[in-house]
Amino acid sequence: MQTTFSVLRKSRELYLRFLDNYTPEQLNKVPEGFNNNIYWNIAHIVVTQQRIVYSLSGLPMMISEEMAKSYMRGTKPERDATQAEINELKELLFTTVDKTEQDFNNGIFTGYKEYTTEFGYTLRSAKEGLEFNNFHEGVHMGVVMSLRKLV
């Protein structure tokens, strides 16, 4: 699992560069032909990691219910994110990973509600959820890289 967490941290470092180097206006812009923006994609990957690791394990997530509902699969931006929300997301990129690794190493993920992803892959444990999460974050990195050219 050390590699899984290492890949996840590298993914989050790349996402942080977007939050650090783009203006709030750029992060919030939904280009023509898209239904979301850079900020939504980054918030979505944090929410997804929390859902597929903690929620499916029957454990409380480290994010607010409002955030979970606003950036889960099937949603789209309803309003622009504020600078305060951008700053909070920067922190969540890493605090969620650090706590997840600590919790994983402490063996708290004992139960899991089986879940089949939109890609047809069935997750049966928090370990599988973490491994799948890296694939999911890669998919959204591709979207963010497309969006960056249009903002």
Side-chain angles (χ1 to χ4, degrees):
M1 287 304 291
Q2 192 172 16
T3 301
T4 299
F5 283 107
S6 178
V7 169
L8 179 54
R9 279 194 177 81
K10 178 50 88 175
S11 171
R12 299 298 177 90
E13 289 170 13
L14 295 172
Y15 281 114
L16 178 62
R17 289 183 193 169
F18 289 98
L19 295 175
D20 280 342
N21 296 316
Y22 287 76
T23 67
E25 293 77 20
Q26 290 172 309
L27 294 171
N28 283 301
K29 182 176 180 183
V30 178
E32 187 174 331
F34 286 82
N35 63 359
N36 56 45
N37 54 39
I38 293 172
Y39 180 87
W40 183 94
N41 278 275
I42 299 173
H44 172 73
I45 59 105
V46 170
V47 167
T48 299
Q49 183 267 332
Q50 289 291 291
R51 284 188 175 279
I52 65 176
V53 177
Y54 283 87
S55 186
L56 291 175
S57 294
L59 299 168
M61 297 185 289
M62 291 175 266
I63 57 172
S64 69
E65 192 58 37
E66 178 185 352
M67 182 179 188
K69 287 179 182 176
S70 296
Y71 299 101
M72 62 190 277
R73 181 174 161 232
T75 64
K76 61 183 181 180
E78 299 295 330
R79 60 172 181 76
D80 285 352
T82 65
Q83 185 62 56
E85 290 169 319
I86 294 167
N87 294 341
E88 178 187 16
L89 184 56
K90 287 180 187 184
E91 284 192 33
L92 286 170
L93 283 174
F94 298 100
T95 57
T96 54
V97 175
D98 292 342
K99 179 78 166 112
T100 302
E101 184 173 30
Q102 178 185 4
D103 288 346
F104 187 85
N105 290 336
N106 288 335
I108 74 158
F109 300 108
T110 55
Y112 199 81
K113 181 180 179 191
E114 191 174 287
Y115 175 75
T116 301
T117 71
E118 68 179 298
F119 299 101
Y121 188 80
T122 301
L123 305 175
R124 294 179 175 87
S125 68
K127 178 182 183 291
E128 289 181 11
L130 282 162
E131 291 167 345
F132 174 81
N133 183 69
N134 285 345
F135 165 78
H136 179 259
E137 292 202 13
V139 168
H140 284 277
M141 180 59 70
V143 175
V144 168
M145 291 176 80
S146 295
L147 286 165
R148 75 178 175 173
K149 296 177 182 180
L150 303 171
V151 299

